[in-house]
Amino acid sequence: MKLVVVGHGMVGQRLLESLAARAATRDWEITVLAEETRRAYDRVRLSAYFDGVSAEELSYDVPAGVDLRLGEPALAIDPGSRKVTTAREMLTYDALVLATGSYPFVPPVEGADRPGVFVYRTLDDLERIREYAAGKRVGAVIGGGLLGLEAANALRLLGLATHVVEFAPRLMPLQVDEAGGAVLKQYVEELGVVTHLGAATTAIRGERPGSPANGLVLSTGAWVPADIVVIAAGVRPRDDLARGAGLPVGARGGVIVDDGCRTADPAVYAIGEVAEIGGRCYGLVAPGYAMAEVVADRLLGGAATFPGADTSTKLKLLGVDVASFGDALTPDKAATDRLDVVYLDPANKVYAKLVLSDDARTLLGGVLVGDASAYPTLRASLGGELPAAPLTLLAPAGEQADISLPGTAQVCTCNAVTKDQVLGAIAEGCCDVPAIKSCTRAGTSCGSCVPLLKQLLAEAGVVADKSLCEHFSYSRAELFDIVKVRGLRTFSQVITEHGTGGRGCDICKPVVASILASLHNEYILDGEQAALQDTNDHFLANMQRNGTYSVVPRIPGGEITPEKLIAIGEVARDFDLYTKITGGQRIDLFGARVEQLPQIWQRLIDAGFESGHAYGKALRTIKSCVGSTWCRYGVQDSVGLAIALELRYRGLRAPHKIKSAVSGCARECAEAKGKDFGIIATEAGWNLYVGGNGGFRPRHADLLASDLTTEELIRYVDRFLMFYIRTADRLQRTSAWIEAVGLDYVREVIVADSLGIAGELDAMMAQHIGSYHDEWKATLDDPVRLSRFVSFVNAPETPDPTIQFTRERGQIVPLQIGTVTPTGSVT
Amino acid sequence: MAMKWETVCPYGRLETERGIAALIGRETQVALFRLFDGAVHAIGNVDPITGAAVLSRGIVGTRGAAPTVASPLYKEVYDLRTGECLDKPGVAVPVYPVRVRDGLVEVGVG
């Protein structure tokens, strides 16, 4: 049977996923006709595109077996003969689903057709906005609802001074009430966005008719200058195909469907923003998803009906948490059968309102602004008995130990999963959030219920297995505290007193080695510690695929004198090493045999170099741009700071490698936002970013604190690093660690000292700095340590005969001995 | 033919729970390991997965009751008693007889 889906937005995609999950691709041959030239993407997070999130990351994967035709929109439908026409061909169908979404509504304002006026709906719109915004200074958004604030965020991220014009007397009039709107306005204005409320736009002006927009005239008489204008005044259903096919549409647009999402023609369904169901069109994704589920069921012979729209929303707009659920707004006007419980803290900009039934027992709705952490519990309690006193409910999730939801409460409203279903999954063996997600689909859509899922796991007594390996039933962080508190100094002590038997392995041994190094910073290869190190740490060099090593001397901040550069060149030439510039602004010398390492390092140390710790889970490089010393744009001395920091933290061992960078101005040439900690100069000092990463899963660093003095900056970096070292898991980079523990928590600990451990972290760093020594110098100074660097115990000078090189572009490269693909599997 | 024992180094040259390579004849590479209890094991030094002669530089440990070494390249674990790879069935390295006489480590060849 043939299914044609018209439109590939979030709701169309959800239908495809739901069909694939039910193995419907066996019965249905699915064709998707899409107008846009890209796959469905997360439209809810559109402004993230200007915050460094790529189109690819926003896009969804299409299930296998679906014929997705991008850029081939349906032009007409003929329900009589069950045919749909595109520019290329005519397709027949047994069932057709309209998921064409909406188009942006452009109010009939004079000048709306001027150049420089845009709508905000698609990635293509965003690209056009970005292109036009280059070099512009001021932007205005018409519309202060959800979409308008998203658009305002986009303009801000493009570096424009931003105005928002809203006709209603408050921002987000459909989601928040007056008091909530006032708190929201406070946040938004603190970000520098100017709001004009209770004002209609009467004209978009330019210098001459047809010339680019240069500002707005408001109904209040005010003039808002704007080089670019974005209209975000709502959407209208794209129901033209249905109208053309003679299918009935609602008075305000939208294809009329029954509670099975069927149009007047039983073979044609409509879902999402294009559908009018129960007399309404919904511009939110959750009701659209519910409709997609209904149609997926119906296509497989089921009889599912639309469960009613959940218009609850929780979002982060311009960094502010806003949530609204249930019937939150109607009781504004003197209603006698409802009670409002209102919590307002203007100093901390937190507002919450719960709407209760008149006996104060049933939760009917609510609004949260500034702190939406109570949202998952509240949403799950909607329509039922209040599980706790109202003010207790407003406490952040996780601090609500005494709240017990009824079993029938929907924990995940996006996917209609109840508490009982989650508990059932736990009883059947799901022991972590990912397992619950794949088993019940709870938490797979908006994700706001994940804290609740964790709480239910904890309540069910499920303890996540954090065992490091078969030898320790502790996590790295737990082991760190044990070693620190008990003052243990050797692996034998640790495994005898706290292990589960055995003599360790390649997982726990380097972990204990790293913990001992972080705590004591002693030479890592003396006594028993030598046996714990991975080969890279053991030989203080990086093993490459043919068993040779690479050597990286430290070049702090990437600054190097010509003499030292020549010295590196001479060493590389004399030992015939393959030479390459690294991404961290230093130089990597490849192809050294183990017995050559001491001779190479003797030469490097004589020339003034020291270990670069490229072989360790340790601080690697702090790269820098040239900064204010030379650059005409630089505002601070980025090179000087990078060198000072690299010398401060050199040799610091950690759960994983640590990279950093310092940029001398906002142009960010050092790419600091891709680093574990990155520093960007401002006119007033330094901005500190943490948790960035390149690599497999790139992540932009989060702003931890801004406009710091150098002294403050160093204090925060000290604490950040030590807190990470103390609490992160094995091989957990700062990016994953920040996501696990939360940026706000980290900020509280290191800036406000919420745990009272800042002094201890400072002391740990002072101990590290005071005890730093160059490992390579310490090795060369000691004949016993040197005796490890032999090719063979019985032939110390004989080179390993399996190491062979050929030459490529004038340098040595390994002659391939094995047949290994980069993933490590044998071909 | 009777086994020939080749002396490679003093026992004291072996570090506890670490390996070191020895060259037997012109090209046979043996990786020697001294365990926590003092026992010595010898297996082939060449990592069968990559062809690189590096097993002597792996981390020594245990898996269950088996004394093991993990290849430093892609971390497959080998049983030091049998040479079998515990992570990839069917992969193995040679095992050599080894003994300590008069404070010297000897490897059996031939």
XYZ file of all heavy atoms in Angstrom, chain A residues 639-708:
521
model
N 48.648 36.606 24.708
C 49.825 35.731 24.736
C 50.401 35.683 26.151
O 50.693 34.612 26.691
C 50.894 36.206 23.727
C 52.102 35.283 23.762
C 50.322 36.264 22.325
N 50.516 36.843 26.761
C 51.069 36.909 28.120
C 50.240 36.088 29.089
O 50.782 35.330 29.902
N 48.928 36.200 28.976
C 48.066 35.432 29.887
C 48.177 33.943 29.595
O 48.264 33.123 30.521
C 46.605 35.882 29.772
C 45.681 35.132 30.726
C 45.889 35.566 32.171
C 44.209 35.313 30.348
N 48.182 33.574 28.316
C 48.259 32.154 27.960
C 49.543 31.538 28.513
O 49.526 30.428 29.063
C 48.190 31.979 26.445
N 50.651 32.254 28.386
C 51.919 31.717 28.895
C 51.851 31.567 30.414
O 52.221 30.530 30.981
C 53.098 32.636 28.482
C 53.276 32.575 26.955
C 54.373 32.232 29.198
C 54.278 33.566 26.405
N 51.339 32.610 31.097
C 51.260 32.545 32.555
C 50.401 31.361 32.988
O 50.759 30.627 33.918
C 50.686 33.853 33.099
N 49.275 31.154 32.313
C 48.385 30.053 32.697
C 49.014 28.702 32.374
O 48.919 27.752 33.146
C 47.031 30.179 31.993
C 46.153 31.356 32.409
C 44.893 31.412 31.562
C 45.792 31.278 33.885
N 49.668 28.614 31.215
C 50.259 27.327 30.850
C 51.362 26.947 31.827
O 51.494 25.784 32.226
C 50.776 27.353 29.399
C 51.234 25.974 28.939
C 51.307 25.786 27.432
O 50.669 26.547 26.687
O 52.015 24.854 27.009
N 52.143 27.928 32.275
C 53.197 27.631 33.255
C 52.580 27.295 34.617
O 53.121 26.498 35.375
C 54.166 28.815 33.373
C 54.953 29.106 32.094
C 55.866 30.306 32.270
C 55.781 27.872 31.667
N 51.434 27.889 34.904
C 50.779 27.630 36.187
C 50.228 26.197 36.251
O 50.353 25.515 37.257
C 49.635 28.628 36.357
C 48.914 28.552 37.697
C 47.881 29.676 37.815
N 47.231 29.643 39.111
C 47.712 30.201 40.212
N 48.860 30.853 40.163
N 47.074 30.108 41.359
N 49.635 25.752 35.162
C 48.926 24.466 35.189
C 49.711 23.333 34.524
O 49.206 22.226 34.421
C 47.553 24.605 34.527
C 46.692 25.670 35.172
C 46.161 26.721 34.431
C 46.438 25.629 36.542
C 45.393 27.706 35.029
C 45.672 26.611 37.149
C 45.150 27.646 36.385
O 44.389 28.611 36.988
N 50.913 23.581 34.027
C 51.668 22.532 33.340
C 51.834 21.342 34.295
O 52.050 21.514 35.497
C 53.035 23.043 32.881
C 53.903 23.479 34.029
C 55.192 24.132 33.561
N 55.767 24.827 34.719
C 56.883 25.529 34.711
N 57.567 25.666 33.604
N 57.319 26.120 35.806
N 51.707 20.155 33.743
C 51.910 18.950 34.548
C 50.697 18.540 35.364
O 50.732 17.514 36.037
N 49.620 19.304 35.302
C 48.437 18.982 36.109
C 47.711 17.780 35.505
O 47.243 17.840 34.378
C 47.497 20.189 36.156
C 46.225 19.996 36.974
C 46.554 19.821 38.456
C 45.292 21.194 36.791
N 47.625 16.674 36.266
C 46.967 15.474 35.747
C 45.499 15.472 36.141
O 45.124 15.962 37.205
C 47.700 14.230 36.213
C 48.983 14.029 35.404
C 49.630 12.682 35.636
N 50.434 12.271 34.491
C 51.630 12.762 34.175
N 52.169 13.710 34.903
N 52.284 12.323 33.111
N 44.680 14.901 35.254
C 43.231 15.065 35.364
C 42.534 13.813 34.843
O 43.192 12.916 34.312
C 42.818 16.288 34.553
N 41.207 13.709 34.970
C 40.511 12.540 34.444
C 40.669 12.377 32.930
O 40.524 11.293 32.399
C 39.042 12.819 34.793
C 39.103 13.744 35.963
C 40.315 14.584 35.742
N 40.924 13.459 32.236
C 41.154 13.398 30.797
C 42.045 14.577 30.433
O 42.367 15.401 31.282
C 39.825 13.445 30.036
C 39.869 12.675 28.738
N 40.883 12.822 27.829
C 39.023 11.754 28.220
C 40.658 12.012 26.797
N 39.540 11.356 27.007
N 42.399 14.671 29.146
C 43.254 15.789 28.760
C 42.485 17.106 28.895
O 41.263 17.138 28.825
C 43.752 15.615 27.341
C 42.661 15.531 26.290
C 43.268 15.191 24.944
C 42.188 14.856 23.929
N 42.754 14.336 22.694
N 43.241 18.182 29.075
C 42.639 19.507 29.229
C 43.302 20.437 28.222
O 44.528 20.516 28.156
C 42.879 20.062 30.650
C 42.228 19.158 31.687
C 42.351 21.481 30.762
C 42.602 19.541 33.110
N 42.476 21.115 27.446
C 43.012 22.083 26.491
C 42.411 23.451 26.770
O 41.292 23.545 27.261
C 42.665 21.656 25.062
C 43.287 20.335 24.662
C 42.893 19.979 23.243
C 43.558 18.691 22.814
N 43.192 18.340 21.435
N 43.157 24.474 26.418
C 42.674 25.817 26.707
C 43.154 26.775 25.627
O 44.002 26.419 24.794
C 43.191 26.254 28.078
O 42.832 27.592 28.334
N 42.582 27.972 25.626
C 43.026 29.004 24.693
C 42.637 30.365 25.244
O 41.700 30.486 26.020
C 42.393 28.791 23.313
N 43.393 31.378 24.812
C 43.100 32.758 25.214
C 43.015 33.608 23.950
O 43.938 33.634 23.146
C 44.204 33.322 26.135
C 43.829 34.729 26.589
C 44.450 32.413 27.329
N 41.898 34.297 23.787
C 41.733 35.217 22.662
C 41.797 36.648 23.169
O 41.216 36.970 24.203
C 40.386 34.993 21.963
O 40.478 33.927 21.052
N 42.451 37.504 22.397
C 42.666 38.878 22.834
C 41.535 39.828 22.515
O 41.576 40.994 22.876
N 40.502 39.341 21.809
C 39.324 40.177 21.601
C 38.178 39.270 21.178
O 38.350 38.073 21.025
C 39.564 41.262 20.539
S 39.460 40.669 18.838
N 37.014 39.872 20.981
C 35.809 39.082 20.701
C 35.865 38.385 19.346
O 35.035 37.532 19.066
C 34.580 39.977 20.783
N 36.840 38.729 18.485
C 36.932 38.022 17.205
C 37.335 36.569 17.410
O 37.172 35.739 16.540
C 37.921 38.734 16.291
C 37.334 40.006 15.713
C 38.396 40.831 14.995
N 37.811 42.084 14.527
C 37.553 43.117 15.311
N 37.835 43.041 16.602
N 37.011 44.216 14.837
N 37.942 36.267 18.563
C 38.118 34.886 19.004
C 39.002 34.070 18.080
O 38.658 32.930 17.727
C 36.731 34.230 19.103
C 36.408 33.673 20.470
C 37.126 32.369 20.773
O 38.348 32.432 20.990
O 36.454 31.323 20.812
N 40.126 34.605 17.676
C 41.004 33.874 16.755
C 41.621 32.632 17.401
O 42.066 31.736 16.705
C 42.101 34.786 16.239
S 41.430 36.113 15.227
N 41.679 32.577 18.726
C 42.292 31.407 19.378
C 41.296 30.262 19.538
O 41.657 29.195 20.021
C 42.870 31.794 20.733
N 40.046 30.479 19.145
C 39.017 29.432 19.219
C 38.833 28.915 20.651
O 38.713 27.719 20.903
C 39.351 28.282 18.259
C 39.398 28.766 16.816
C 40.056 27.794 15.852
O 40.993 27.092 16.255
O 39.629 27.760 14.693
N 38.790 29.862 21.585
C 38.723 29.509 23.001
C 37.418 28.817 23.375
O 37.366 28.045 24.335
C 38.905 30.766 23.854
N 36.364 29.100 22.614
C 35.078 28.489 22.971
C 35.024 27.004 22.652
O 34.046 26.336 22.975
C 33.933 29.208 22.250
C 33.519 30.498 22.924
C 32.144 30.890 22.414
C 31.799 32.307 22.781
N 30.525 32.692 22.176
N 36.059 26.482 21.992
C 36.100 25.050 21.731
C 36.973 24.323 22.746
O 37.311 23.160 22.537
N 37.324 24.990 23.835
C 38.289 24.410 24.774
C 37.656 24.070 26.125
O 36.601 24.572 26.472
C 39.419 25.418 25.012
C 40.120 25.871 23.732
C 40.793 24.725 23.019
C 41.502 25.212 21.765
N 41.919 24.100 20.918
N 38.364 23.264 26.901
C 37.883 22.913 28.235
C 37.721 24.164 29.091
O 36.752 24.297 29.822
C 38.861 21.947 28.904
C 38.883 20.610 28.188
O 37.952 19.830 28.394
O 39.809 20.382 27.396
N 38.706 25.056 29.017
C 38.450 26.401 29.536
C 39.028 27.387 28.543
O 40.135 27.215 28.060
C 38.947 26.621 30.972
C 40.432 26.534 31.174
C 41.201 27.682 31.241
C 41.065 25.306 31.337
C 42.580 27.621 31.450
C 42.442 25.234 31.545
C 43.195 26.383 31.598
N 38.223 28.386 28.215
C 38.634 29.348 27.210
C 38.435 30.745 27.756
O 37.520 30.994 28.533
N 39.335 31.627 27.356
C 39.291 32.972 27.899
C 39.251 33.951 26.733
O 40.028 33.832 25.786
C 40.525 33.209 28.780
C 40.444 32.265 30.005
C 40.605 34.642 29.246
C 41.738 31.660 30.383
N 38.303 34.871 26.795
C 38.184 35.868 25.736
C 38.254 37.251 26.372
O 37.524 37.546 27.322
C 36.871 35.687 24.949
C 36.818 34.275 24.345
C 36.759 36.740 23.853
C 35.547 33.955 23.607
N 39.165 38.071 25.825
C 39.368 39.401 26.397
C 38.162 40.291 26.131
O 37.511 40.205 25.094
C 40.622 40.025 25.787
N 37.843 41.139 27.106
C 36.848 42.190 26.915
C 37.537 43.516 27.225
O 38.654 43.530 27.739
C 35.657 42.014 27.877
O 36.118 42.245 29.217
C 35.069 40.614 27.794
N 36.845 44.618 26.942
C 37.418 45.929 27.265
C 37.726 46.003 28.757
O 38.679 46.628 29.196
C 36.411 47.033 26.909
C 36.054 47.087 25.432
C 37.101 47.808 24.590
O 38.041 48.374 25.179
O 36.991 47.766 23.344
N 36.881 45.320 29.559
C 36.977 45.459 31.011
C 37.799 44.355 31.673
O 38.057 44.417 32.865
C 35.574 45.470 31.611
N 38.202 43.351 30.945
C 38.944 42.259 31.575
C 38.851 40.987 30.747
O 39.191 40.982 29.571
N 38.370 39.904 31.395
C 38.344 38.621 30.714
C 36.993 37.932 30.915
O 36.450 37.958 32.008
C 39.412 37.681 31.282
C 40.801 38.224 31.324
C 41.442 38.730 32.407
C 41.723 38.304 30.232
N 42.720 39.123 32.070
C 42.924 38.868 30.744
C 41.664 37.954 28.872
C 44.036 39.085 29.947
C 42.793 38.168 28.087
C 43.956 38.730 28.622
N 36.499 37.276 29.880
C 35.349 36.383 30.020
C 35.869 34.953 30.088
O 36.718 34.562 29.284
C 34.396 36.509 28.834
C 33.536 37.756 28.941
O 33.588 38.480 29.937
N 32.751 38.006 27.911
N 35.343 34.177 31.044
C 35.798 32.794 31.201
C 34.709 31.838 30.731
O 33.578 31.888 31.214
C 36.133 32.531 32.677
C 36.461 31.072 33.052
C 37.642 30.551 32.244
C 36.765 30.966 34.548
N 35.057 30.988 29.778
C 34.142 29.984 29.239
C 34.638 28.609 29.651
O 35.840 28.358 29.676
C 34.080 30.058 27.711
C 33.488 31.346 27.191
C 34.260 32.491 27.102
C 32.154 31.411 26.802
C 33.721 33.683 26.643
C 31.604 32.593 26.336
C 32.384 33.715 26.254
O 31.847 34.889 25.800
N 33.719 27.700 29.942
C 34.143 26.357 30.355
C 33.328 25.276 29.650
O 32.186 25.500 29.248
C 34.006 26.165 31.881
C 34.976 27.058 32.633
C 32.579 26.407 32.342
N 33.952 24.112 29.523
C 33.230 22.941 29.012
C 33.157 22.854 27.499
O 32.311 22.162 26.972
N 34.025 23.548 26.797
C 34.023 23.451 25.339
C 34.771 22.206 24.884
O 35.559 21.633 25.622
N 34.499 21.790 23.662
C 35.173 20.604 23.150
C 35.120 20.604 21.632
O 34.155 21.063 21.043
C 34.487 19.346 23.691
C 35.389 18.138 23.675
O 36.505 18.197 23.143
N 34.937 17.042 24.236
N 36.167 20.076 21.023
C 36.135 19.800 19.588
C 35.827 18.328 19.465
O 34.961 17.826 20.159
N 36.556 17.652 18.613
C 36.497 16.198 18.616
C 35.183 15.608 18.183
O 34.436 16.173 17.395
N 34.920 14.457 18.732
C 33.817 13.596 18.297
C 32.473 14.290 18.460
O 31.601 14.219 17.610
C 33.860 12.321 19.133
C 32.992 11.227 18.609
C 33.231 10.678 17.362
C 31.935 10.741 19.355
C 32.434 9.670 16.871
C 31.139 9.731 18.875
C 31.390 9.191 17.627
N 32.308 14.945 19.597
C 31.033 15.608 19.863
C 31.336 17.064 20.213
O 31.506 17.406 21.363
C 30.310 14.920 21.021
C 28.804 15.085 20.970
C 28.133 14.150 21.964
N 28.441 14.498 23.337
C 27.672 15.276 24.092
N 26.572 15.770 23.606
N 28.006 15.547 25.323
N 31.412 17.935 19.207
C 31.828 19.306 19.476
C 30.819 20.014 20.383
O 29.624 19.752 20.337
C 31.844 19.962 18.100
C 31.798 18.855 17.125
C 31.119 17.706 17.791
N 31.331 20.908 21.223
C 30.442 21.651 22.112
C 31.067 23.015 22.339
O 32.268 23.113 22.598
C 30.324 20.913 23.445
C 29.398 21.575 24.441
C 29.353 20.751 25.732
N 28.278 21.182 26.588
C 28.361 22.192 27.455
N 29.476 22.869 27.577
N 27.323 22.516 28.191
N 30.255 24.037 22.224
C 30.745 25.362 22.557
C 30.774 25.520 24.066
O 29.855 25.083 24.761
C 29.830 26.426 21.956
C 30.289 26.850 20.589
N 29.555 27.643 19.768
C 31.420 26.569 19.915
C 30.218 27.836 18.644
N 31.349 27.191 18.704
N 31.829 26.163 24.559
C 31.950 26.358 26.005
C 30.872 27.321 26.503
O 30.382 28.165 25.760
C 33.340 26.903 26.328
N 30.494 27.164 27.776
C 29.497 28.036 28.392
C 30.202 29.162 29.136
O 31.238 28.957 29.759
C 28.664 27.255 29.415
C 27.900 26.124 28.784
O 27.257 26.365 27.757
O 27.958 25.002 29.314
N 29.573 30.325 29.122
C 30.132 31.470 29.847
C 29.971 31.235 31.342
O 28.862 31.087 31.852
C 29.403 32.749 29.429
C 29.896 34.028 30.103
C 31.345 34.319 29.745
C 29.015 35.211 29.726
N 31.091 31.200 32.055
C 31.023 30.976 33.504
C 30.978 32.313 34.242
O 30.237 32.476 35.207
C 32.237 30.169 33.970
C 32.175 29.764 35.436
C 31.399 28.466 35.582
C 33.555 29.604 36.026
N 31.794 33.266 33.812
C 31.808 34.572 34.476
C 32.395 35.584 33.506
O 33.208 35.229 32.653
C 32.663 34.505 35.743
N 31.973 36.839 33.621
C 32.464 37.823 32.656
C 33.164 39.002 33.319
O 33.005 39.259 34.512
C 31.325 38.318 31.767
O 30.123 38.337 32.453
N 33.931 39.699 32.492
C 34.666 40.909 32.891
C 35.475 40.717 34.175
O 35.410 41.531 35.099
C 33.691 42.085 33.025
C 33.159 42.508 31.660
O 33.876 42.299 30.653
O 32.038 43.029 31.592
N 36.224 39.624 34.212
C 37.012 39.319 35.410
C 38.348 40.037 35.359
O 38.918 40.248 34.283
C 37.280 37.811 35.480
C 36.043 36.907 35.515
C 36.450 35.452 35.346
C 35.301 37.096 36.832
